[in-house]
Every structure is written in C-alpha cells, then in structure tokens.
Amino acid sequence: MRLAIIGLGRMGGNIARRLLSGGHEVVAYDRDPEARSNLAAAGAEVAGSLEETAIMLAPPRVFWVMLPAGAATENTISGLLELASPGDAIIDGGNTFFKDDIRRARVCGLKDVNYLDVGTSGGVWGLQRGYCLMIGGETPAVAALKPIWETLAPGLGTVPRTPDRGEADEDPRAELGYIHAGPAGAGHFVKMVHNGIEYGLMQAYAEGFDILKGRASERLPEDERFSLNLTDIAEVWRRGSVISSWLLDLSAAALAKDNMLEPFTGRVSDSGEGRWTVEAALEEAVPAHVLSAAVLARYRSRVDTTFADKLLSAMRYGFGGHVEIPQ
Amino acid sequence: MRLAIIGLGRMGGNIARRLLSGGHEVVAYDRDPEARSNLAAAGAEVAGSLEETAIMLAPPRVFWVMLPAGAATENTISGLLELASPGDAIIDGGNTFFKDDIRRARVCGLKDVNYLDVGTSGGVWGLQRGYCLMIGGETPAVAALKPIWETLAPGLGTVPRTPDRGEADEDPRAELGYIHAGPAGAGHFVKMVHNGIEYGLMQAYAEGFDILKGRASERLPEDERFSLNLTDIAEVWRRGSVISSWLLDLSAAALAKDNMLEPFTGRVSDSGEGRWTVEAALEEAVPAHVLSAAVLARYRSRVDTTFADKLLSAMRYGFGGHVEIPQ
Amino acid sequence: MRLAIIGLGRMGGNIARRLLSGGHEVVAYDRDPEARSNLAAAGAEVAGSLEETAIMLAPPRVFWVMLPAGAATENTISGLLELASPGDAIIDGGNTFFKDDIRRARVCGLKDVNYLDVGTSGGVWGLQRGYCLMIGGETPAVAALKPIWETLAPGLGTVPRTPDRGEADEDPRAELGYIHAGPAGAGHFVKMVHNGIEYGLMQAYAEGFDILKGRASERLPEDERFSLNLTDIAEVWRRGSVISSWLLDLSAAALAKDNMLEPFTGRVSDSGEGRWTVEAALEEAVPAHVLSAAVLARYRSRVDTTFADKLLSAMRYGFGGHVEIPQ
Amino acid sequence: MRLAIIGLGRMGGNIARRLLSGGHEVVAYDRDPEARSNLAAAGAEVAGSLEETAIMLAPPRVFWVMLPAGAATENTISGLLELASPGDAIIDGGNTFFKDDIRRARVCGLKDVNYLDVGTSGGVWGLQRGYCLMIGGETPAVAALKPIWETLAPGLGTVPRTPDRGEADEDPRAELGYIHAGPAGAGHFVKMVHNGIEYGLMQAYAEGFDILKGRASERLPEDERFSLNLTDIAEVWRRGSVISSWLLDLSAAALAKDNMLEPFTGRVSDSGEGRWTVEAALEEAVPAHVLSAAVLARYRSRVDTTFADKLLSAMRYGFGGHVEIPQ
C-alpha cells in the first residue's frame, strides 16, 4: 500500500523503514530536514509540508501520524483534517489519551474521514522484532489497512502457541501480533493499560533487586548479611524461572554492563500512560494498588525531598522534640 | 508510693517529675551525672548505680526503666533481675518490641519477679497533659501499682464523655487515661499499633498539604493553579472540621512559625514501632495498605535515590532508548 | 442578611437553621414539599419554585445551593443563572469538583453574576458546632457576605490558640473557622483535599483496630496472641495520646455501642472527593501513596472478589498447579 | 551421582525424575507408599524410612529434602542430622525461611555436615524445562555437587545470550541456570525475593486486566465504555510487546480457556515468601511499595469484609449520618 508517515523520530522513522522493507510505498514528512533525508536514503519519498504530503497520495489517502502526544499530534491532525477528503484515513500511532481519540473520531466523522488510533508497543526494537499493534476505529477502515498491520506486526514468529487458543479464538489476528480492540479510543486504551502494567512490572523487578542489594547493609546483623551478585541473579532468573520476561532480559543486560548501574540518575520520567491507567482505575472503582504505587514511586524519584516529608519532620519535632534539622 | 526511675532522658525525667508532683517518692538513676543532679534539684533521691538503686528501695521494690529500646533496656533489665527479690516489679516504660516482653516476662517469672510493659504516649507534653498508659502484665501486679498509674495518666480532664460508654464499660480506668491491656507484651503491642496509626495519620496530613502546595505548580494549566495559604488552611481545619486532631494542631503551629517549613530536612526517622506494626499485620494477614505505605514513605525520605530507581532508568534505556543519564 | 437556601436535605436544612438562629432571613426552597414545610416550621419563608425564590429576594440576591454534586447542582445553577441579575451571587455549598467551579465562574462572569464555591465541613454536627468553611471566589463578593460566614463558622470557641499564630497571620478569619482560599474553585479544592486527608486518617485508624482485633487469631503462636478490648483502647487513646482526634472520638463511640460493629456491612461508599484528591496528586506529580491506598481500600470493600484476584488464582494454577477452585 | 530425594510430591517427584533421566541414581523416600511406588516405577530405588535411606547411600551421602517449609522440613532435617556422618550433605530444596537456614547450617557445622539451601523455581514445568536453582552453602560442598546442578538446571537452551555478558561474567553457571548465591541462607534468600517479585508481577497483570474488564462498566459515560476481548489482548501482548513474559503466557492460556475465569474463587493463597520479602525490605529500609501492596491484596482477597471496613462505615455514620447498614 501507499501511505504517509508524519513524524520521523525514533518510532516513526523505524515504522517507515519496516513498511518500506515490507514492500509498501512511504511518503515521509517531518519538520526536521535531516530526519527527512535519512528516510529518503532508506527509500522513502519525501514531502516538504503537510500539504505536499496530501498531494503525493491519491484518495483514499492514509496518513499515519507518529508524534509526541499533546499539542504536536493535535495540531497535525487538525491540519490533516483540513486537507482530507471523505474516505481518507488518519491514524494516530502515538501515545494519545483515549478520550482525545473519542473526541477526534467524532470530529473526523463529520467529514467522513476515518480516524484510527493505534497503540504501538515494541520500542526501539520494533524495527526488527515487529510492533505489537492495538487498533481502535470503525471495522471497515481497520479491515482496509490489513496489509499495513501485517507488515508492522511481528507475525507468528517462534512464540509457542497458547493452549486452548484454537477454540476460544474470535480473531486470528491476535496471534499475528495485532488486534482490532474496538471503536476509536479502544486501541489507545489497551495500549495505555499495557503501559500501566509495564510500570508495575518494572517497579516489581526494581524493588526486588533493591532488596537483594540492600542485604549487604551494615545495618543488619552480621550473620544475616549477604553480598549478592545481582548480575548473575538476573541472568539465572532468565532460565526456567517463573519471572522470566523481556523486561528481565533488559535488566540482566543492564546489570551485565554495570552492576552498580552507576551511569543512571534514577530520576525516572513517566509518559502519561501510567498515570492515565490509574485515573481509569479510579473512574472504574478498580482497586489498582500496585499500578498506582508504581506511578507514585516514579514521582518520588524525581524530587530530593517532598513538602510532605518536611511536615512529618515538623510534627515529630512538635510532639516529641525529635530534631530533623541540619545542625 | 516509692519507686525507682532508671533513665532520666526526655521521657524518664518528666515521668519522675510528674510522679514527684503527685506526691510519690522517686529514687532516680541515670549514667549521666548531670541528668541525676537535674532530678535531685526536682526533689528526687539520687542513686549512683543500679546496685545502689536497689538498696535505696525496700521490698517489694518497683523499678521503672525508661531507656531506648534495644541493648540499653535489655542490659539494664538483666542487671535488675540479678538484684531483684521475689515480689519485686520491673517495668519497661520504653518502646520495646512486644515479643521481647513476652520472653522477658517468662525469665522474670522464674524468679517470681513481676514484669510489666507500659506503652507511654504523650511525648514532651506528657509532663503537663499526663501520659496515656497501655499496660501489660499480671493482674495483681498491675493492680498494686494503681497509685502510680493514676498520677501519670491524664485523668478525666475536660475530654467530653463518649456516648454509650456507661453501658459498655468494663474498665473505668480507660476514661482516666490508662488501661490494663492484657498479659506481658500486650501493653507494648497496643502502644506499637498506636504508633503505627500515628505514622498513617501523619502521612495523610503530610500528603494532603503536599497536594495543596503543589497546586501552585507551573506544570498545571494556568487557570487550574492556586497559590494557597497553608497556614490558614491548617488553622481553619482545626475548627469544626472532620479532620481536627492534635497532630493537626501541631501542623498548624509548625506552619504558623514557618509556612515553608524551611528548617526541616525532610529526612524522617522511624522508631521501629511503625515497622513492627506492619510486621504484625503481615503475621495476621491484615491488609494494612495505608500503615505500610506510611512506613515506606519514611524510608524513601532518607535516601537521595534508590537502586530501584536506577534500574527503572536502565530498563527504560533498554527498551525505549530513553536517556536518564547525566549529560 | 437575606438569602435563599436551595436544597433542604441534611446539610442544607441545618445550614438554613443555623442562619435563622443567627438572625438572618432565609428563603427556603426544595422540590420536596415536606422538606419545605419543615423549614417553614423553623422560621424560614418558603418558595415554591426557583422563579419564586428569585422573586422573593431583592437584588443583589444571594442564592446558596446545597444539593448533591453533579446533575442536580449543575441544572439548578444553570436555572438560577437564567434568573439572576448582574451583582447577584450564586453560592455552591456542595461537594462540586473544582474544575466545574472554574468553568461555571467563567460563565457567570459573562453576566456579571458572582459565583462562589464553599467547601463545608462539619457533617450532621455542624448545626451545633458550626461549619468549617473554605471559600473560593472574587474578593469583593466574598467580603460582602461576611455576616453569613461569621454566623455559619464555629467562631473562636474553646480551641486553644495556635502558638506563633499572631505573627504569621494574614487572615484573622481562619481562627473564626472560615477562609477565603482563592478564586473560584479554590474553596472546593481545599475541601476536596480535606476529604482526601479524611479518607487517609479514617483508613489509618481502621487498619490499626483491625490489627488489634487480629491479634486474637488462632493462626498465631499461642503465646503471641492477645484478646484486646478495642472499646477501652479507643477510649484511652482519647486521653493524652498523640493520635487523639475527632475521628477517634467517633470510633470510640461506635465501639462503645457495639464492640464488634456488627450492624455495619463494611461496604464503604466514597463521595468522589477522595478520588479527585488522588487525581489532583497525579496531575501535580505528588507521591500520595497513603491517600491513594485509602481510596482503593474503599473500592475493594464494595466487591466480593475482583477479576484481578481470579487472574492471580488462574496464574497460580498455571505455573504451580495450585488449586483455588471450589471443589 | 547417587543421592536421596526425601519428599516425593509435585516438586520432589519431578526432581527425582529429572535426575533419573540425567543418569543419576536416586534413592527415593516419602511417607506415602503410593508416592514411593510411583517413583519406583520411574526407576528409583525406594527406601522405607529415613534410616533405610541413610543405609542405602555410601558416605559422603547426599540427602535432598523436598518438603513443605515448616515442621515437616524441620523435623526431617533434624532426623537426618542424627543419621549423618561428617562430610555428608543435607540439601533443603523447599521454600524455607532463610534465617532458619542460617541457624541450621550452624548446627550441621558442629557435626561437620554440609548444609545447602537450594531455591528452586520452575513449578510443575520444571521436569521438562529444567529448574532455575539458587544455591546457598560452603563453596566446596556446592562444587562437589556440580553434576546434580547441571542435570537439574535448564542449561543454555535457546535463550538468547545477554549482551555484555562476556565481560562481566564471574560465574558461567548463571547462564546454565544455576548460581551459588553465597553462604547458607543466600540461596533461599534469592529465591524468596524471586517470589516476592513474582507476586508483584502477577498483581500488575491482574490489575491491568481488571481495568480492561472494568471498562465495560455501566457506571461510565456511554461513549467512554469499551467491551474488550481480554483473551485476544493477552495474546497480542505476547508478540513484540514490552510486557511479554511467561506469566503473561499463562494468563493468555487461562483466558483462552475461559475468558471470564469463572472456575476460580479469587481467594488467593500466599506461600510465605512474598510476606518474608516484605519483611526483608522492612529490615533493610527499602521502600518496596509495590511488593507490599501485592501481598496485602492477596490477604484482602481471602476475606469477605474486614473489621477495618466496618469501622470506616461506623465513622461515616458517626460524622455524616451515612447509612451502610443492611436495611
């Protein structure tokens, strides 16, 4: 198929490359000329503006927007909607909040433009491994783009088949690595929860290794202290243990490179999706203790001290004369 | 009554003073001569050693130990047990772990020495307000010391009577400010949970004020920002609100003195009892999410960054190329 | 002053009564005729509709709306705005989400109508004790209603003065029990955080008593079990302890009435404000572990089992053959 | 090698079978005659008592104990120590608390008997996949049993090699699926943290799927509801996503079999190790919010309502007249 990729950063650039390798024709656009010429070198046709992008496609056009969530995506999609004709499709492949998708799909629908939201997991590895795709939108629009989904998704690969899958299966696409999750917003909703889970998993491993490391603490009785080799522990858990996973593989690699993780500041960003997952849980009254705690731990990692901590010190001073004041 | 107070720090000194004011005879001992002479000035008889302390009392002797939990208390009680005669009473008024009380009571029992554990709340304010006492031990031994409990406890005071109290009341002592909680260990167990709750309450206020303060953040949309007067908010909540409490009074006082709480480091210590409360909950399979989170928040306050945080950064770098490394 | 109270439920009715006792003239309206006649008996003038309410006041009119947050409040305020003239004031005294206040104040401003949001704490006790008021809105509008705030608020009362208060004080009103927190929305924001803290405090006490009760469990080694008198423990903590508070007073009263709390289902509702507080913390990146956990515990209390629990059982069966299936 | 396996349940039986397939000679003992004859059928020599087990081995003997942690293991190891000669090795392959290992190793050392603790992950799948082994004990004793570790562990298999592994590697055994973690206790400590992490991971997935399922709730605005196919979502996440793992594979299989997970009660047991992990974190002052929350969620799953919940209802009734009482 022929389609446009708008936004040629780490994610968009690799998606364009994987589509090119899969035999698709890509019209590539980015505000940054260097990003454009990189893609030209990879075989894409390059556009100099959104307008030019639209002209270089024939209806029904397909625009895949791959930009940071927020103003960049919002403005680009508004711009594309101006240029779009009935039957065209606008795909938001970024990390948009699902309620924004619901709103946008309504607006696009007024012009008979199809709006699709595609949650895309796979990170910098997706170019080789393929991308796990969670798609929201109207069924005919999703079906029309099947060749694109099949190229981007990992495919059956070497993943062992899930037992009992045969009978329960409503949608064979899941085994190829993509799903049509539901109407507009559903794709990003599923991707959002994916990331919320990701935060929880990461925090579980991180706390576990912290406890392993802390076992060498001189605070402990001498015969209850261990000085453990975290690198080897991560490695051995990759083999036959219940907690093997790709995130553990990455942890093992990081520890193999530097078992103290010295280069990292430990000020951990969050992309918004962990927080939205917790907000969704709050809306639904789901008691998501672990997913919330994982988001809050990241918040705490980014400040030296909190006002809350100071107020605790102040109260302790108030009732017990405990001094937590620099002397 | 005549009794010995061993350990004349912030808590022990004030307990001795309150007993003296109440007409009791106090034999005071501390390793620090200055602490001893302070109490002498307040009217106590002073002993120069544990042995001398024992000699200055007549059987049945009463030894009130008021020392930091751990080795100091443990060694002193062992020493006293050497000196004690059948019928004597050893009181641990500190913050001892209740399982240590259970063990010690067994050892003391072998010599017919009474062991009592007294959880004591009231902090530096207890001298004037009285101390809330939670007592563990055998019933006759607890009953024999009634004059001491009544002097130390706050008494009926001006606290309004609890409705329905009359009918349910098994123990009028609770309204005077002391209870016989159960056998040895029960006093410190109740005090331990008291402190566990205290951590939870403090953290609830602390987080609330942090959210109030954070509302001025420039991260927020301009029309959703407020610059709130925390000092006045703490003050107004003291009046007619559902969350009025003594800890709020202390918060209001701290904020009135310095609304930025500048002097405090925010590195918050914990005395062990919060942690033991969580351990008790784990033993009992009680889902104490809030009390655990309160203890863990204090742990987090005492380090700049955790190994867990660094591992999160390392994983994010691994799957997404996200850079959380000082540039 | 003369003002209308719209909504004569538990809160609105008592507010009207307290204003009447304070010498104000109250025009009372509720859709329920019985509620209206109750207020008539208490000395209020009664209106039969919103229109009639507006007619019974002279400009500048003051409408105090005291209805459940959501559609009831929203529709009433829209209706009043139709009827209002420039210079009139509409007060929302309920538990509205602060972003709705910000929006409404903007709309009211277009007609030069003053919009005030008043967070009101005190529950069913406010009639006697007075209400703690947290007010948002424009300064002149807030100032104009001073006689109303002073009647509703508890006043200085017998609460001991906060040390250092004198110097720091920007607003003597806080000591009378009301504050002007900031522009529209700020009143409800402060009240929302108040309730968020309330949830945290309640959960801290609740977990503590659960741990006390759980100490009698037969799961524990026999010599580490205590059968504790929760009623007396709640009572003694009211006296001289660090954790004394109004919520503890209420707990003591409930336990004095029935120490097993048999009548209560333990399915705990939430009013929205606890959840909004957590959402505010998420927006501000404040690590509010305790306040979140308190909200989530309520959610969990309302279901027998969660899908999450079932998935845990399913995974345990998958890797370990552990059977958590009714046999 | 020739060794005894004591305890022929799900884990012990399979370990014996894997050793037999690997060419080792197994003396098998269990109190249950049926378990014994099953193993005899698989090629093991069978002993009728601990004494007979000891006789059927020649010094230096190797006893592998694979029993439930607690009294069963403790008594068996005491019995074996009676029968053991200097140079013999006793291996605890179960889920023992690491402080019990430290104590036992000290006692065994007095008789020059080697004590090894082996954390064993792999569940019912270990027979085919191999077991991930975390070994604690003295270096010569661990080295002497190399043929056993190599047979039980998964070996290099098809797991892709960790980048940078070559340089950092201190212990090539990790890549074969076993490590010598440190002195006695270290093996079970590492396994304990492994299980603590496992609880956190499981809870993260479980909460995520709960949020996905909850999106169909009628509580939500109609256009923000999705009815999601959880079976397909679990499946698609197995392919190229950041959160792929063995636990996700198991979740996908469970959902493929029954997407409502109807057969499961959702009353989730815990084996002790999750709780011990949290206790270790508390000792070390590591802020393990997620791992604690995961354990507490299991506790909560096992009761209909908590006393804490009832006290919340009682307080709400006390201050607001909110009725949470069956009518």
Side-chain angles (χ1 to χ4, degrees), chain A residues 160 162 165 232 235 238 284, chain D residues 160 162 165 211 232 235 238:
Chain A
T162 297
R165 179 74 202 165
D232 278 356
E235 186 62 34
R238 299 178 66 223
E284 299 174 12
Chain D
T162 298
R165 180 74 203 166
I211 295 169
D232 278 356
E235 186 61 35
R238 299 179 67 224

Side-chain angles (χ1 to χ4, degrees), chain C residues 111-181:
Chain C
K111 275 193 70 172
D112 281 325
V113 169
N114 295 301
Y115 180 87
L116 293 92
D117 54 294
V118 180
T120 311
S121 183
V124 291
W125 298 79
L127 177 56
Q128 309 146 46
R129 303 202 319 171
Y131 296 94
C132 173
L133 303 177
M134 295 144 266
I135 308 161
E138 297 301 316
T139 301
V142 175
L145 299 172
K146 193 175 175 187
I148 291 176
W149 317 132
E150 295 201 334
T151 297
L152 288 176
L156 275 178
T158 58
V159 179
R161 191 146 198 259
T162 298
D164 295 313
R165 179 75 202 164
E167 306 153 30
D169 205 351
E170 293 176 28
D171 183 355
R173 296 171 289 192
E175 296 193 81
L176 299 176
Y178 72 99
I179 54 167
H180 178 204

Side-chain angles (χ1 to χ4, degrees), chain B residues 55-130:
Chain B
I55 291 166
M56 290 169 70
L57 298 175
R61 300 181 191 90
V62 179
F63 302 99
W64 182 300
V65 181
M66 203 71 202
L67 290 166
T73 296
E74 188 71 31
N75 295 338
T76 301
I77 288 177
S78 301
L80 287 172
L81 187 54
E82 297 285 318
L83 301 167
S85 316
D88 287 357
I90 299 175
I91 299 169
D92 180 359
N95 279 333
T96 289
F97 184 49
F98 74 98
K99 294 187 186 176
D100 289 327
D101 294 312
I102 293 170
R103 173 180 49 77
R104 285 188 201 147
R106 211 178 290 129
V107 176
C108 288
L110 299 174
K111 276 192 71 172
D112 281 326
V113 169
N114 295 301
Y115 180 87
L116 294 91
D117 55 293
V118 181
T120 311
S121 182
V124 292
W125 297 78
L127 177 54
Q128 311 147 46
R129 304 203 318 172

